[in-house]
Amino acid sequence: MSAIRSTGNQSEADLRSRLHRLGLRFRKYVSSLPGRPDIVFPGPRVAVFVDGDFWHARAIRERGPDAYWRDFRSPNRPYWEAKFARRIERDAEVTRDLRGDGWTVVRVWESEVKADPDGVARRIAGIVKRSKPRVPTSRM
């Protein structure tokens, strides 16, 4: 467990590198935003999360809990069920909060980034370019 990094993993680094090559500039891990997004484009207000397949319960979300628990066996199943349920709930809360504040939220799976980092970067670049930069209002 100590080898699992919450920030700065290789998938995130590969994605950031490709986004940078596409001419996009961003901030990393902005702690003032809900959920501390992995990549933030402040002008167009786009927040990107690179969610790990295991820790963010991709299998439960896609196949359902019954199918997942047939494959994942643990003597401490109640602990993991509660942990994954809370993580799914927290991800939804963070997304809802950010969208409520006018942010576009992009969530990508780590395995998607590993499989096609250029494709994911192009998809994010398209979203960023379509998002209108927020113009600050001047006070007179």
Side-chain angles (χ1 to χ4, degrees):
M1 295 278 288
S2 65
I4 297 171
R5 300 176 61 135
S6 64
T7 62
N9 65 38
Q10 190 61 48
S11 299
E12 290 174 17
D14 289 345
L15 180 59
R16 287 194 310 264
S17 174
R18 283 163 171 81
L19 290 168
H20 196 270
R21 275 190 244 144
L22 292 172
L24 298 173
R25 300 302 178 256
F26 48 83
R27 300 284 171 255
K28 301 185 313 185
Y29 315 117
V30 176
S31 60
S32 61
L33 291 175
R36 196 167 170 238
D38 300 312
I39 302 169
V40 175
F41 299 92
R45 294 178 67 89
V46 175
V48 179
F49 293 90
V50 180
D51 292 337
D53 293 45
F54 177 77
W55 293 110
H56 289 267
R58 182 178 188 179
I60 292 173
R61 294 173 195 231
E62 292 180 354
R63 297 182 312 174
D66 292 336
Y68 181 74
W69 292 112
R70 279 194 297 270
D71 296 338
F72 183 75
R73 294 197 170 88
S74 169
N76 201 2
R77 182 174 168 171
Y79 167 81
W80 288 104
E81 285 177 334
K83 185 171 189 68
F84 289 143
R86 179 62 188 130
R87 180 73 45 94
I88 291 168
E89 183 181 312
R90 188 171 47 242
D91 287 348
E93 289 171 4
V94 166
T95 299
R96 187 174 47 254
D97 290 347
L98 284 168
R99 287 184 177 153
D101 289 340
W103 287 82
T104 299
V105 178
V106 180
R107 288 192 174 272
V108 296
W109 293 111
E110 186 177 19
S111 61
E112 290 177 314
V113 175
K114 286 179 180 178
D116 185 16
D118 290 318
V120 172
R122 284 191 303 271
R123 188 174 93 210
I124 292 169
I127 292 168
V128 169
K129 290 177 181 175
R130 284 190 302 274
S131 298
K132 295 182 181 179
R134 189 178 82 159
V135 179
T137 56
S138 61
R139 296 182 183 210
M140 296 191 175

